[in-house]
Amino acid sequence: GYTSDALIYCLGLENVSFRSNGWYVGGMVGYNSGTVNECYVIGSISGQNNVGGLIGYNSNAAVIACSAAGSVAGTAFIGGLVGYNLSGTINNSYATGAVNGKVSIGGLAGYNSYGTISACYSSSPVSGSSNYAGGLIGVNNGTVTTCFATGSVSESGNYVGGLLGYNSADVAICYASGLVSGTGTSVGGLAGQNK
């Protein structure tokens, strides 16, 4: 449920099925303040806010060489791998499961707040019903380098992008190739809005 300065290393969880009406829901860790290295989750995860296939909330923590596959669903800050990345590091990791939510949803991470994401990708199809949906990240105000997204992104609200729904920080050496569709404003092949 919660880690503090812990190391989870070389662990895989399969046939996972978590359903919660609460916050901080992850296939492996709900709220991570440690290091998760070379781990994976396969299964179905659903919750309210801060929901991820591997980690729900990653706070000043590290995710290295990890993956998640299956499905992830919730309301806000929903990601195929990590729901909310706060000043954390996500490196050499990927997600492939379907992601569905309302606000701030991404194939890899729902929200990257002052965090660093590098050498990652997502092939997750992303669908939402409100605002901020991206093939890789829903909302980004951190650093993203050498990443890509190939999954489709469909959102009935605003700020929809093949890589990022909404971006206000540094992005370099990245691309997106998935089909993007939205019925609101600010829809783009790479980013819904870059500010």
Side-chain angles (χ1 to χ4, degrees), residues 69-155:
S71 64
V72 184
T75 301
F77 313 121
I78 313 301
L81 188 76
V82 175
Y84 198 115
N85 184 46
L86 175 63
S87 301
T89 299
I90 303 173
N91 177 257
N92 194 29
S93 299
Y94 67 91
T96 62
V99 179
N100 180 268
K102 290 184 177 180
V103 180
S104 295
I105 56 174
L108 188 84
Y111 200 118
N112 182 40
S113 180
Y114 304 106
T116 300
I117 297 177
S118 61
C120 293
Y121 77 88
S122 171
S123 60
S124 302
V126 176
S127 60
S129 58
S130 188
N131 298 319
Y132 309 111
L136 190 77
I137 303 167
V139 176
N140 176 61
N141 66 355
T143 301
V144 180
T145 57
T146 58
C147 294
F148 66 92
T150 60
S152 62
V153 184
S154 175
E155 173 73 72

